[in-house]
Amino acid sequence: MVKTTEESRSTARAPATTPAWPSDLKMRATGLDFYYGGRQALYSIGLQILTGRITALIGPSGCGKTTFLRILNRMYETVPHARPEGEVFLDGEDIFSLDVVGLRRRVGMVFQKPNPFPKSIFDNIAYGLRVNGMDRHSTLAEAVERSLRRAALWEEVKDQLHKSAYALSGGQQQRLCIARALAVEPEALLLDEPCSALDPIATAKIEELLFNLKDLCTMVIVTHNMQQAARVADYTGFFLMGRLIEFNKTAVIFKTPARKETEDYITGRFG
C-alpha cells in the first residue's frame, strides 16, 4: 500500500526513541578497557551495578579491582597517561561526559586507609557541604549530625565534635570518612578495602553500617576477605589478570561458581 503524503510527513517527523534506563540499574560498564600508558590493565569489562545493592569485587592483588573502582568516579584522572576506552553509564548518563566534580559528588569514595583531614571532627564532615555552598551554621550542624548518625558514629563523638579527627581510633576514623562521603548525599559509594587495616570488632561495625546504608545509596566494595564479601554483598564479581571472569549473585558465586578459576580462588587454591 502506498503511503499518503501526510503519512510520510508524520513518519519523517517521528522522533527516534531510546530505551528507558531501568530503574533498578545504577551503573553499567560495557566493553571497558583501561591503560596505564602503554600497559593494559583491564580487558573488555562488562558489569551492571544494581540500585540499592552492595556489589563486591574480589580477586588477587593486581587483578584490576581497584582500577575498575577508580574508573567509576574518574579518580584515575589523577594518574598521568591513564586512560579508559569503552562505556560507563550512571543512570543512563555517560560518566566521561559529565563534569568531574559533579560526578564525584554523586559517586563518593572511601579509601583503604582512613584519611581524615587535619581538622576537627565537625569540619571533616562539613568540608564537602561548604564546598557545595552550605554555609549557615545551623544547617551545617544538622547535616553533620545526620551524617554521623548514618555512619553510626554520633553517639561516640557528639561531645567532642571540635576535637581533632586524629584523636579517633582507626575504626572510628574510617566511619568518619564514610560519614564525610555521605554528607553530600551521594547516589553511589565506592569502598576500596575499607576494613583491611581494622580489627575484627571495628570490621563488624563497618559491615553493619554497610547493611544499614543500602536504603540510602548503592555501594561497590573491593575486598580480599572472602567471608566479608559473602556476608555483605548481594552480587559479586571475580577479577583475574584484568578480566572479569564471573559475575553473579553472591550466593551463586560462593556455592556454585560457573568457572573453575572462580572456584579455585574462593577455595584458596591460588591467590
Side-chain angles (χ1 to χ4, degrees):
M1 183 175 70
V2 178
K3 290 184 179 180
T4 66
T5 302
E6 188 60 33
E7 287 174 331
S8 297
R9 287 175 180 167
S10 297
T11 302
R13 286 198 301 266
T17 59
T18 55
W21 182 262
S23 61
D24 63 343
L25 182 60
K26 177 54 63 177
M27 302 189 79
R28 183 180 70 208
T30 305
L32 182 64
D33 298 324
F34 190 82
Y35 300 84
Y36 290 107
R39 181 177 70 85
Q40 187 167 358
L42 293 178
Y43 298 83
S44 193
I45 303 298
L47 180 62
Q48 294 190 345
I49 297 167
L50 297 185
T51 303
R53 298 290 185 267
I54 300 176
T55 298
L57 307 179
I58 63 172
S61 298
C63 66
K65 307 182 302 296
T66 294
T67 293
F68 177 75
L69 199 71
R70 288 171 175 262
I71 292 171
L72 297 181
N73 72 344
R74 288 167 53 187
M75 194 62 70
Y76 69 85
E77 292 183 2
T78 61
V79 180
H81 312 300
R83 72 183 194 281
E85 294 180 3
E87 297 177 328
V88 181
F89 293 95
L90 169 65
D91 287 336
E93 299 177 272
D94 177 4
I95 70 164
F96 304 122
S97 300
L98 295 175
D99 168 68
V100 70
V101 174
L103 172 65
R104 290 176 186 165
R105 189 182 304 124
R106 294 171 66 185
V107 184
M109 189 158 188
V110 175
F111 297 93
Q112 181 174 0
K113 294 182 179 178
N115 62 336
F117 299 146
K119 300 174 181 290
S120 69
I121 294 169
F122 184 95
D123 286 337
N124 262 269
I125 307 301
Y127 178 83
L129 298 168
R130 288 177 172 137
V131 168
N132 289 308
M134 186 183 292
D135 54 9
R136 287 183 55 193
H137 182 78
S138 60
T139 308
L140 276 173
E142 291 174 3
V144 167
E145 179 178 344
R146 182 170 59 249
S147 298
L148 288 169
R149 285 189 182 278
R150 287 174 173 174
L153 192 57
W154 173 252
E155 293 299 328
E156 298 171 41
V157 303
K158 62 183 179 181
D159 296 324
Q160 47 185 323
L161 294 179
H162 297 290
K163 289 186 178 181
S164 170
Y166 291 152
L168 298 175
S169 69
Q172 289 174 322
Q173 287 186 17
Q174 192 65 296
R175 280 183 284 151
L176 178 71
C177 292
I178 293 173
R180 186 176 67 198
L182 292 173
V184 294
E185 306 283 348
E187 300 169 34
L189 187 61
L190 314 175
L191 303 108
D192 187 8
E193 296 190 63
C195 303
S196 64
L198 304 182
D199 61 50
I201 294 176
T203 295
K205 288 184 177 181
I206 295 290
E207 291 180 3
E208 182 180 4
L209 170 59
L210 298 185
F211 274 117
N212 294 334
L213 292 176
K214 287 171 66 173
D215 289 338
L216 294 175
C217 64
T218 301
M219 286 170 279
V220 185
I221 178 172
V222 165
T223 180
H224 281 286
N225 186 324
M226 296 298 98
Q227 291 76 24
Q228 181 174 76
R231 285 192 299 263
V232 306
D234 300 290
Y235 290 84
T236 297
F238 171 55
F239 279 70
L240 182 64
M241 298 179 67
R243 302 181 188 276
L244 179 62
I245 302 300
E246 188 170 352
F247 179 79
N248 212 322
K249 291 181 177 180
T250 297
V252 174
I253 290 289
F254 281 92
K255 293 178 182 178
T256 56
R259 297 287 297 270
K260 186 176 186 302
E261 300 99 312
T262 309
E263 181 181 0
D264 288 348
Y265 180 73
I266 290 171
T267 57
R269 291 177 188 150
F270 78 91

